[in-house]
Amino acid sequence: MQPGQMAYDRGITVFSPDGRLFQVEYAREAVKKGTTTIGLKFKDGVILLVDKHVSSRLVEPESIEKIYNIDEFIGCATSGLVADARVLVDEARKNAQNHKLTYNENITVEGLVKKVCDYKQYFTQYGGGRPFGTALLVAGADDLGIHLFETDPSGALVAYKAGCIGSGRPVVLDVFEKEYKDDMTLDEAMALGLKALAAATDDKPTPQTMEAGIVTVDKPFRRFTDDEISAFIGKE
């Protein structure tokens, strides 16, 4: 950062002369340093894959949680500051439950993501807080179809066919640009996701070092078991 710009990163509400909010950009850097998190649409649903980044053999892999259930047919995966992600997941769950109690129906995936992004945007506009240093990949199914959304610390959202957040994003997106196809089967999508995850982490994924979740048009969001992950790895 140039010396003349330093005064503009002291507060979240202050724009720099070239229209930048440096605290939001710093939050994006926290996401870039996070674990590689992948989302892929296939013919009947969406899968999420996350590198757990188990840093020591002394760590219990089960204690590292990067994929969360939000509503019956909605789940998400996170990258960045895990504690920030938990706050956003709790906020998303409250919004989903409030909608269900009020309207007696499940909230749409896009409607939920917009509410979460509105909450994130609030922390970029008012003093006394800081932006959330985390991004979410939200996967879900509703009456409008299957969806994969990426949220940004600024509160922006983008829908993807295949996306990635975290440190391995450039490598993963390069693989997806070359090899992703519409209407893939679950096996094809998992094979591509595992290949991209291996390329980003320089190591073959195992059930202990990764987490995976799935939602389809007719089955609720759930995590894969270790045995299911092992079976997909064995098919490569």
Side-chain angles (χ1 to χ4, degrees):
M1 181 179 294
Q2 299 298 321
Q5 295 178 329
M6 291 186 65
Y8 298 102
D9 73 343
R10 296 293 186 263
I12 187 57
T13 59
V14 181
F15 282 98
S16 72
D18 55 349
R20 297 162 65 186
L21 289 173
F22 288 114
Q23 291 296 331
V24 173
E25 294 185 19
Y26 298 159
R28 289 185 179 132
E29 291 301 316
V31 174
K32 290 178 183 178
K33 289 177 169 48
T35 52
T36 302
T37 301
I38 292 172
L40 273 168
K41 278 186 176 183
F42 61 98
K43 185 176 182 180
D44 300 312
V46 189
I47 56 171
L48 298 173
L49 305 175
V50 184
D51 170 35
K52 284 187 176 184
H53 189 64
V54 180
S55 56
S56 169
R57 66 182 183 84
L58 302 178
V59 175
E60 293 281 5
E62 297 81 10
S63 68
I64 301 175
E65 188 178 16
K66 297 293 182 71
I67 293 181
Y68 302 87
N69 288 69
I70 294 177
D71 200 11
E72 186 179 8
F73 283 89
I74 305 176
C76 75
T78 72
S79 184
L81 299 180
V82 178
D84 284 14
R86 286 204 308 270
V87 172
L88 292 176
V89 169
D90 287 344
E91 179 69 16
R93 287 170 174 169
K94 285 188 288 186
N95 280 308
Q97 289 301 307
N98 285 339
H99 185 94
K100 187 173 291 186
L101 288 171
T102 304
Y103 300 105
N104 196 30
E105 65 179 12
N106 290 333
I107 192 170
T108 63
V109 181
E110 184 175 2
L112 178 67
V113 173
K114 285 182 176 178
K115 285 182 178 293
V116 172
C117 285
D118 288 345
Y119 187 70
K120 294 174 81 169
Q121 192 276 338
Y122 177 89
F123 287 88
T124 72
Q125 193 168 359
Y126 297 95
R130 63 160 175 79
F132 288 91
T134 189
L136 304 178
L137 281 180
V138 183
D142 55 29
D143 293 339
L144 301 176
I146 55 173
H147 309 274
L148 175 65
F149 286 97
E150 177 186 325
T151 75
D152 179 78
S154 69
L157 66 138
V158 182
Y160 281 96
K161 295 179 180 179
C164 178
I165 53 179
S167 57
R169 179 183 172 92
V171 176
V172 170
L173 291 185
D174 185 56
V175 173
F176 286 169
E177 289 283 356
K178 296 175 181 176
E179 301 189 34
Y180 178 81
K181 297 177 293 186
D182 292 326
D183 295 328
M184 290 191 297
T185 65
L186 172 58
D187 285 351
E188 290 172 336
M190 279 295 293
L192 180 58
L194 290 169
K195 178 180 179 179
L197 194 63
T201 59
D202 294 324
D203 199 6
K204 185 173 182 178
T206 68
Q208 290 72 43
T209 61
M210 66 170 288
E211 199 173 354
I214 183 173
V215 62
T216 63
V217 292
D218 57 354
K219 292 182 181 178
F221 183 87
R222 68 177 180 87
R223 294 184 185 87
F224 283 114
T225 65
D226 286 353
D227 289 342
E228 287 176 308
I229 294 174
S230 295
F232 280 116
I233 293 173
K235 292 178 182 178
E236 286 190 282

